[in-house]
Amino acid sequence: MSTTESQQITPELRQWIVDQAQAGHTAESVLKAMMASGWSEDVAVEAMESTLRGHLETRAVAAGLPPAVPVPDPRLDESPLYLDGGDRRVHVLQAIFNPRVVVFGNLLSDEECEQLIELARPRLARSLTVATKTGGEEVNADRTSNGMFFQRGENELVQRIERRLARLVNWPEENGEGLQILQYGPGAEYKPHYDYFDPAEPGTPTILRRGGQRVGTVVMYLGEPTKGGGTVFPDVHLEVAPKRGNAVFFSYDRAHPSTRTLHGGAPVLEGEKWIATKWLRERRFE
Ligand code: PD2
Ligand code: ZN
């Protein structure tokens, strides 16, 4: 029998780990104690991580938060500088764990950015947001941009980008909403909001019938303003510069502010900002 098989993580061990944490012992000291009584480091670390994760989740749900669900997740466990987007080597510029935010470089070529803008331009209209009171759509003063949606897989360019994104964040293409293109002129902004649908709003159950909650967002910068227009995360005082070809990804495992994914598009001060947004759902989006 291997060491791992012989070292079973029993309910008693899990309870002991929770008791230690509640008594204020550090993860380091608990790990040391486990190893001193014969646990291998790998098993001890796994036991600690899974037990404390489970414990926090139980407490969160008991406090009335929606349960955590799986989310899209770029593979960054070994801190790679580059990720394989299939047909393109994407740069990892910045990563934050809480909130989960990753900034990518070189996600799109200049030609791809220009082509998306030119295909979108004749189809732009004042942006609407989903009306969570009714499940319909409405013009919203918090969002002063012009926009349009591509159908998923609408043309070869859109297909190529959707395939690349799916590979990058490990999430099925069919769980994505259609790509949305937005144009912001001087003064235009998108006030801070959450991208998930508020479970307390009456229209939300209708919205969730098409693919469940949103669990992740990729905002790709297609056209840069010369001043302003960053994507801001007020809870962590982060501002991502809207540099053409770059993108910001973020995920949220429950529809709750505890994800710290409040974010907005700061007003454009000079020039014009163009973005493509891909929202990712829990399940296939029809
Ligand atoms: O334009 C942005 O930076 C921005 C900000 C917040 C886009 C979105 N949200 C979005 O498309 O959800
Ligand atoms: Zn947003």
Side-chain angles (χ1 to χ4, degrees):
M1 200 189 280
S2 76
T3 323
T4 314
E5 280 167 330
S6 64
Q7 299 202 320
Q8 293 285 340
I9 306 171
T10 60
E12 290 73 24
L13 174 63
R14 291 193 187 282
Q15 188 56 51
W16 179 82
I17 292 172
V18 170
D19 291 345
Q20 300 309 301
Q22 280 175 337
H25 297 294
T26 64
E28 197 59 34
S29 69
V30 177
L31 208 58
K32 252 192 180 160
M34 286 181 73
M35 285 162 68
S37 52
W39 292 90
S40 78
E41 186 169 2
D42 286 359
V43 178
V45 167
E46 165 57 25
M48 289 254 305
E49 282 181 357
S50 63
T51 301
L52 294 177
R53 207 180 310 124
H55 178 64
L56 288 175
E57 179 60 16
T58 307
R59 280 183 37 167
V61 172
L65 271 61
V69 296
V71 293
D73 198 19
R75 292 220 169 85
L76 299 183
D77 36 320
E78 292 181 309
S79 301
L81 271 73
Y82 306 101
L83 283 176
D84 179 13
D87 61 344
R88 195 170 176 83
R89 194 167 79 144
V90 176
H91 305 184
V92 181
L93 301 181
Q94 187 177 30
I96 302 174
F97 275 91
N98 184 7
R100 187 47 160 160
V101 176
V102 182
V103 180
F104 294 117
N106 197 45
L107 175 59
L108 300 176
S109 70
D110 285 353
E111 294 71 39
E112 287 170 332
C113 293
E114 277 156 24
Q115 285 168 8
L116 283 175
I117 290 174
E118 290 322 313
L119 289 169
R121 199 186 286 280
R123 292 163 61 178
L124 292 178
R126 172 75 193 265
S127 293
L128 302 174
T129 45
V130 175
T132 43
K133 300 248 179 301
T134 61
E137 286 187 318
E138 63 187 2
V139 170
N140 184 333
D142 288 347
R143 198 180 192 199
T144 50
S145 52
N146 296 314
M148 58 78 67
F149 275 96
F150 286 108
Q151 294 283 329
R152 201 171 53 224
E154 180 174 323
N155 55 46
E156 191 278 328
L157 173 65
V158 167
Q159 284 168 19
R160 189 191 325 147
I161 294 168
E162 289 176 336
R163 207 173 307 132
R164 193 179 300 158
L165 289 176
R167 185 163 175 152
L168 203 61
V169 304
N170 296 301
W171 206 247
E173 258 178 77
E174 67 260 26
N175 293 20
E177 298 181 31
L179 207 56
Q180 184 182 44
I181 309 295
L182 290 182
Q183 174 204 38
Y184 301 76
E189 66 180 316
Y190 195 173
K191 296 241 173 77
H193 59 275
Y194 298 98
D195 279 354
Y196 57 73
F197 301 107
D198 183 347
E201 291 288 344
T204 295
T206 311
I207 296 166
L208 298 190
R209 268 189 240 136
R210 288 178 83 190
Q213 263 292 358
R214 286 182 179 158
V215 288
T217 305
V218 188
V219 174
M220 293 161 271
Y221 305 108
L222 309 178
E224 2 180 298
T226 43
K227 284 184 190 158
T231 304
V232 295
F233 292 79
D235 290 349
V236 287
H237 308 282
L238 171 67
E239 177 165 351
V240 179
K243 175 147 181 41
R244 185 210 284 258
N246 287 7
V248 59
F249 160 82
F250 51 101
S251 65
Y252 21 100
D253 64 0
R254 54 179 120 237
H256 194 271
S258 62
T259 57
R260 308 208 292 173
T261 54
L262 182 69
H263 66 285
V268 169
L269 301 178
E270 192 180 285
E272 214 174 49
K273 170 186 172 188
W274 288 80
I275 61 164
T277 301
K278 171 65 83 175
W279 286 296
L280 305 166
R281 298 288 190 108
E282 284 179 90
R283 296 182 287 281
R284 183 180 173 86
F285 177 77
E286 298 294 352

